[in-house]
């Protein structure tokens, strides 16, 4: 069936209108980004084409670029390279082309990008220049009333660097006359797809819109098929199309084109597409099959060259014209593209293995040729792809190596790593590999390890380095020279402490072999200093670090100098200003060295230095700078930037900013530790799923000690708020035991865990006292109380011992540690008071509140949540001491803070306290239509729970005699002869909430 050539846009007017309004905003200087998602064939391209045509009629310039599927590897920045080329060629007009050409000429990073293979000389600072250059070029191409509409299609195939540019463009949009429209297949973007977190991150930006295209419903499909066929289908024909297409526009088109005979139609789309292709002339079929080997889109010049490789005498002009006439291929600038990617996929999958290899070989030969512009028809990544698929392993090896070097020059570590790993995988299959590359497998493995570290895969980096060293069993000199590289990678692992002694021993052995005054020796000294420091061998650490710094200065080895100075700064952390100066010098040395990983360590340590020195605002600025720098260098998820993100989350929590913030585009290796850091605020907010989140982290404790500390400690707090006191106490002891094994028995986080555990003990005792559950008899009650007191005293002793002997770096426990220690003491005093062996702990909680208030003076805004929580407990203790006015003031201040932060559990606890104690606080007092007073209702509710008059008095902060009076009044008002009858009557009359 021949389709109508003029098909109106069906059922997408709302989405088209949204896109055109976005174009209008861009025309007025309000840039935007629109994410258009939908299943393959649902109509994304048709919608975008319609919008592009309408936008051009309104004065906009449209630039359409594509991402391509090259398997596990990609060509960094390919769509933006294409976009800049189109703009230079005049896609947005001659004036815009001149402006863009000028910008490209001024920026080496841009002209290297546009010149195949030219990125090899790029330095790390050029990543920012590259991103800014791309953004500036796109912005300069548009003008008021003449915006640029950049369409980036098939972003589900985008490489990591292209995704980074999209995030950069979205984040930096200001007043450009630019609209970026991104299309992707939702059915390809599963939960592990690297695009998925990017979409989530972009969707949160104010100027980003998201459009999801759904398949047609029956009425829409009927309108669509009527337009396609030029008239209504018969009932049987439409039912067949509806059933088989399921509303997918492309499927419907193909079913109609395949013919009307029901018996001749295949049942799968693959067969429908095959049927359609088989209607073409055999020569045309061969040409389009060859085109499919390049993917959905191929440069016409490249396709012609590949065809000539197969048969120099055969012309393809007529075949291409017929393919375009039959709408199998479409012309798009200098490219030919399949009307839908699925058509290319079906053709490619139909090729026989030998036929497929032969066609890839044709492309490989064609890509080595030069085009009309004098440049090669393709870059090394494309050649590597076709060489591998053609089973030309020597060529695949060489081109993969070239592609890795190109990716390194373009600051694309993920792509560099994949190409290096491809080289390593091919090495054994290519006997002459070393002579072909001019290097050996060890050097390639080392380069791959460096790329893995930069890409945020420390464990992978270690495996690659070990692989390299293991191959040097008969070369002790080279093994010694590489040992510091391996150790440096191992230091980035979460569990590196377990191997500290082994690493130190290996470095000492290497120093016995390495020559004096060598860069490898200086690096080994610097890393041995760092390890000795972490093993609390400070004298050895200082000696090694000073030796390394002296040697590094003499040799001009700036990277090792940065590492040694960073270690000295940590050793001098007690002198915060001196440490800060050392770290500034270390950062400068790392930048001079171009050692981006050392620079990240220094930037993290600078921020941590300011934080622990109490300069919170300065620390926040340092973290923001460090993370921005990591983004520039493509190191956003390497070890130290991840640590900076954790520090950033903790600082926001310190300030009382409890707003939930999704962790964003996070590699799997970093997801859990960042989830653990966000638990602080989640517990304080009282998120419903916070306990489930904490429990999900249990399986990851062995991945990173910080996951156990942050996730486990916060889960203890959450369980306590939930009233699951025994579980909280057991978990606190479990976390402590785990971290003693991972770190040491005096890790400073143990003070925090001890305070949380004692709080759970005190809350459990309070709950038992209020409900009468302390035991069936006096002996059991006393035994339970004694056990709790013993555990509380033991935990407090542990906290104090840790504070004394844990010796934080610098020798002095900081204000936060002191505050947690004081809270542990106050919680234990509360425990003693609850079980009847101590007086009201008002003094202890006043000291705890003062200790937390001290952090306010030191940390700008201080530990806002803990200040409020300590005032809650202080108000409770004041009530126990009979100081109602002081209690009211402390509770009111704590409640105001809790409400302002959104700390729901704390606010609810404060209101419950105020209600029990009859404190007049906002949202606490309530009127009653009952014959009972508010206090009588409260007393009767506790009577219904089985509490004695003494227990009720303790609960409501009134005397036992006053409780007795209230109980008598209740029975008189209800006409009851006893307590049980009063409860029953109140319940029947609806006066009692039970």
């Amino acid at each position: 069936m021949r389709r109508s050539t003029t098909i109106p846009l069906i059922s997408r007017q709302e989405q088209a209108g949204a896109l055109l309004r976005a174009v209008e905003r861009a025309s007025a200087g309000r840039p935007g980004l629109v994410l258009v998602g939908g299943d393959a064939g649902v109509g994304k391209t048709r919608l975008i084409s319609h919008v592009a045509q309408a936008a051009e009629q309104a004065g906009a310039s449209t630039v359409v670029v594509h991402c391509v599927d090259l398997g596990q590897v990609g060509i960094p920045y390919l769509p933006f390279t294409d976009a800049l080329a189109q703009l230079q060629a005049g896609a947005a007009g001659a004036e815009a082309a001149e402006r863009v050409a000028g910008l490209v000429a001024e920026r080496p990073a841009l002209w290297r990008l546009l010149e195949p293979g030219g990125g090899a000389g790029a330095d790390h600072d050029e990543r920012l220049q590259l991103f800014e250059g791309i953004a500036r070029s796109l912005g300069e191409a548009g003008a008021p009333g003449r915006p640029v509409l950049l369409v980036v299609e098939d972003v589900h195939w985008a490489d990591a660097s292209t995704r980074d540019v999209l995030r950069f463009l979205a984040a930096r949009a200001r007043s450009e006359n630019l609209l970026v429209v991104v299309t992707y297949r939702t059915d390809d973007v599963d939960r592990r797809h690297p695009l998925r977190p990017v979409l989530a991150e972009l969707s949160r930006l104010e100027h980003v819109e998201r459009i999801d295209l759904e398949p047609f419903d029956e009425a829409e499909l009927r309108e669509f098929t009527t337009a396609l066929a030029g008239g209504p289908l018969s009932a049987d024909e439409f039912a067949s199309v509806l059933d088989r297409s399921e509303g997918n526009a492309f499927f419907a088109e193909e079913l109609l084109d395949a013919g009307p005979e029901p018996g001749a139609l295949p049942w799968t789309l693959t067969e429908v597409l095959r049927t359609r292709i088989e209607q073409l002339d055999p020569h045309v079929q061969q040409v389009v099959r060859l085109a499919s080997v390049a993917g959905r889109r191929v440069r016409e010049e490249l396709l012609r060259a590949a065809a000539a490789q197969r048969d120099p005498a055969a012309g393809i002009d007529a075949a291409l014209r017929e393919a375009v006439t039959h709408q199998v291929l479409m012309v798009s600038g200098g490219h030919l593209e399949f009307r839908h990617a699925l058509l290319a996929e079906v053709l490619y999958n139909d090729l026989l293995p030998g036929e497929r290899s032969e066609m890839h070989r044709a492309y490989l030969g064609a890509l080595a040729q030069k085009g009309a512009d004098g440049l090669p028809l393709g870059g090394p990544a494309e050649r590597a792809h076709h060489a591998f698929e053609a089973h030309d392993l020597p060529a695949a090896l060489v081109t993969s190596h070239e592609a890795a070097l190109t990716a390194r020059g373009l600051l694309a570590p993920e792509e560099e790593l994949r190409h290096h790993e491809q080289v390593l995988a091919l090495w054994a299959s290519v006997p002459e590999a070393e002579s072909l590359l001019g290097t050996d497998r060890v050097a390639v493995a080392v380069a791959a390890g460096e790329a893995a570290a930069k890409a945020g895969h420390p464990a992978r980096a270690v495996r690659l380095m070990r692989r390299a060293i293991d191959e040097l069993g008969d070369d002790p000199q080279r093994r010694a020279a590489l040992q510091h590289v391996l150790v440096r990678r191992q230091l980035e692992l979460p569990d590196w402490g377990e191997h500290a002694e082994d690493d130190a021993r290996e470095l000492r052995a290497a120093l016995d072999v390495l020559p004096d005054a060598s860069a490898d020796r200086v690096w080994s000294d610097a890393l041995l200093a760092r390890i000795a420091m972490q093993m609390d061998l400070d004298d050895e650490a200082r000696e090694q670090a000073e030796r390394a710094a002296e040697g590094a200065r003499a040799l001009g080895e700036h990277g090792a100098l940065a590492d040694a100075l960073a270690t000295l700064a940590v050793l001098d952390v007690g002198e915060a200003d001196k440490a800060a100066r050392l770290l500034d010098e270390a950062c400068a040395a790392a930048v001079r060295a171009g050692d981006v990983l050392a620079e990240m360590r220094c930037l993290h340590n600078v921020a941590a230095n300011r934080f622990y020195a109490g300069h919170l605002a300065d620390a926040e600025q340092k973290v923001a700078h460090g993370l921005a720098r990591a983004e520039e260098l493509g190191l956003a998820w390497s070890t130290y930037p991840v640590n900076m993100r954790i520090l950033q989350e903790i600082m926001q929590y310190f300030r009382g900013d409890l707003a939930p913030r999704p962790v964003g585009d996070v590699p799997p290796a970093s997801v859990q530790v960042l989830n653990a850091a966000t638990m602080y605020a989640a517990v304080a907010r009282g998120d419903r799923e916070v306990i489930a989140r904490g429990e999900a982290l249990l399986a990851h404790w062995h991945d990173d000690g910080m996951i156990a500390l942050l996730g486990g400690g916060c889960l203890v707090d959450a369980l306590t708020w939930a009233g699951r006191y025994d579980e909280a106490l057991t978990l606190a002891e479990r976390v402590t035991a785990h971290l003693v094994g991972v770190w040491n028995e005096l890790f400073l986080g143990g003070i925090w865990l001890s305070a949380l555990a004692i709080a759970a003990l005190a809350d459990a005792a309070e709950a038992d006292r209020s409900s009468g559950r302390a035991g069936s008899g006096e002996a059991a009650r006393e035994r339970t109380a004694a056990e709790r007191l013993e555990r509380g005293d033991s935990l407090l002793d542990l906290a104090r011992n840790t504070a004394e002997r844990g010796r934080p770096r610098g020798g002095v426990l900081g204000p936060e540690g002191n505050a947690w220690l004081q809270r542990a003491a106050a919680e234990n005093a509360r425990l003693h008071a609850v079980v009847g062996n101590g007086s009201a702990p008002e003094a202890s909680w006043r000291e705890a509140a003062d200790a937390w208030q001290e952090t306010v003076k030191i940390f700008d805004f201080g530990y806002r949540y803990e200040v409020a929580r300590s005032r809650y407990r202080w108000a409770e203790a004041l009530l126990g001491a009979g100081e109602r006015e002081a209690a009211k003031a402390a509770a009111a201040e704590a409640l105001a803070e809790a409400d302002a932060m959104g700390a729901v559990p704390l606010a609810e606890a404060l209101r419950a306290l105020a209600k029990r104690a009859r404190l007049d606080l906002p949202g606490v007092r309530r009127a009653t239509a009952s014959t009972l007073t508010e206090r009588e209702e409260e007393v009767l509710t506790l009577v219904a729970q089985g509490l004695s008059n003494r227990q009720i008095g303790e609960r409501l902060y009134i005397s036992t005699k006053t409780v007795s009076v209230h109980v008598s009044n209740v029975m008189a008002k209800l006409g009851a002869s006893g307590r049980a009858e009063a409860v029953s009557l109140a319940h029947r009359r609806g006066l009692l909430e039970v």
Side-chain angles (χ1 to χ4, degrees), residues 72-413:
Q72 294 299 313
V73 299
I75 305 174
Y77 313 110
L78 174 63
F80 295 102
T81 304
D82 192 1
L84 293 181
Q86 290 187 44
L87 290 172
Q88 282 189 291
E95 293 182 6
E98 186 175 344
R99 291 195 298 271
V100 173
L103 286 169
V104 171
E106 294 171 2
R107 287 166 167 75
L110 284 181
W111 57 256
R112 283 193 177 108
L113 180 66
L114 291 168
E115 179 182 343
D123 61 38
H124 295 289
D125 284 0
E126 287 190 6
R127 185 175 174 93
L128 176 61
Q129 296 177 19
L130 176 61
F131 283 17
E132 288 184 337
I134 292 172
R136 181 81 182 278
S137 298
L138 295 173
E140 287 287 332
R146 297 191 304 277
V148 168
L149 170 60
L150 173 64
V151 179
V152 186
E153 293 220 61
D154 300 326
V155 176
H156 50 279
W157 285 329
D159 61 282
S161 301
T162 294
R163 295 193 297 269
D164 286 345
V165 175
L166 284 172
R167 294 166 57 210
F168 184 92
L169 290 175
R172 298 297 177 91
R174 295 296 182 267
S175 59
E176 300 87 353
N177 300 108
L178 172 67
L179 175 66
V180 180
V181 176
V182 168
T183 71
Y184 61 94
R185 289 189 196 172
T186 53
D187 47 343
D188 274 3
V189 182
D190 59 28
R191 64 185 181 86
R192 295 186 177 181
H193 195 287
L195 182 63
R196 191 180 184 93
V198 178
L199 295 174
E201 180 179 345
L202 293 176
S203 297
R204 293 191 294 273
L205 298 178
E206 183 178 349
H207 54 279
V208 174
E209 297 178 67
R210 190 161 181 166
I211 295 175
D212 296 311
L213 295 186
E214 300 294 334
F216 291 142
D217 61 24
E218 182 174 344
E220 293 165 344
L221 185 64
R222 189 180 300 279
E223 182 181 0
F224 181 67
T225 55
T226 298
L228 279 174
L233 301 181
S234 69
D236 290 341
E237 288 176 329
F238 178 76
S240 176
V241 172
L242 176 64
D243 179 59
R244 299 178 186 180
S245 73
E246 297 182 342
N248 184 288
F250 178 67
F251 291 9
E253 288 185 67
E254 297 304 320
L255 288 165
L256 284 175
D257 279 349
E261 298 80 18
L265 281 175
W267 284 97
T268 66
L269 178 63
T270 298
E271 293 181 356
V272 170
L273 295 171
R274 187 181 297 119
T275 299
R276 183 168 179 211
I277 294 299
E278 288 173 353
Q279 295 174 357
L280 300 174
D281 180 85
H283 182 50
V284 179
Q285 291 183 41
Q286 281 297 99
V287 170
V288 295
R289 288 190 178 104
L290 179 61
S292 75
V293 173
R296 180 183 180 181
R297 198 166 186 256
V298 60
R299 295 184 302 284
E300 182 180 350
E301 190 176 17
L302 177 59
L303 178 59
R304 289 180 178 277
Q309 289 283 318
R310 302 186 71 206
D311 186 353
I316 66 169
D317 288 354
L320 290 177
R321 279 195 293 272
E322 185 175 349
V324 171
T325 299
H326 283 79
Q327 300 183 63
V328 174
L329 295 176
M330 298 186 302
V331 178
S332 176
H335 292 75
L336 294 166
E337 64 181 48
F338 287 92
R339 193 163 49 85
H340 196 282
L342 291 177
L343 189 55
E345 291 175 17
V346 168
L347 283 165
Y348 184 74
N349 290 334
D350 268 354
L351 294 174
L352 297 172
E355 188 180 23
R356 185 180 298 176
S357 297
E358 185 268 331
M359 289 186 178
H360 278 291
R361 197 171 298 112
Y363 274 103
L364 180 61
L367 286 165
Q369 301 177 17
K370 292 186 177 180
D373 56 5
L375 297 174
L377 287 176
E382 286 180 277
R383 296 200 302 273
H385 168 68
H386 288 293
F388 185 81
E389 295 297 336
H391 307 299
D392 187 342
L393 301 188
L397 179 91
V398 172
T399 52
S400 293
H401 184 63
E402 292 174 0
L405 298 180
T406 300
R408 179 189 301 172
L410 291 172
L411 305 179

Side-chain angles (χ1 to χ4, degrees), residues 731-747:
L731 180 65
E733 293 173 341
R734 178 182 169 190
V735 178
T736 301
H738 173 80
L739 292 176
V740 164
V742 172
W743 294 330
N744 58 66
E745 63 179 4
L746 296 173
F747 71 97

Side-chain angles (χ1 to χ4, degrees), residues 450-471:
E450 290 295 292
K454 293 175 183 177
H457 306 301
R460 207 158 154 192
V462 167
R463 287 196 298 271
L464 287 162
M465 284 306 308
R466 283 178 176 159
R467 175 177 177 177
I469 290 177
D470 287 346
E471 295 185 11

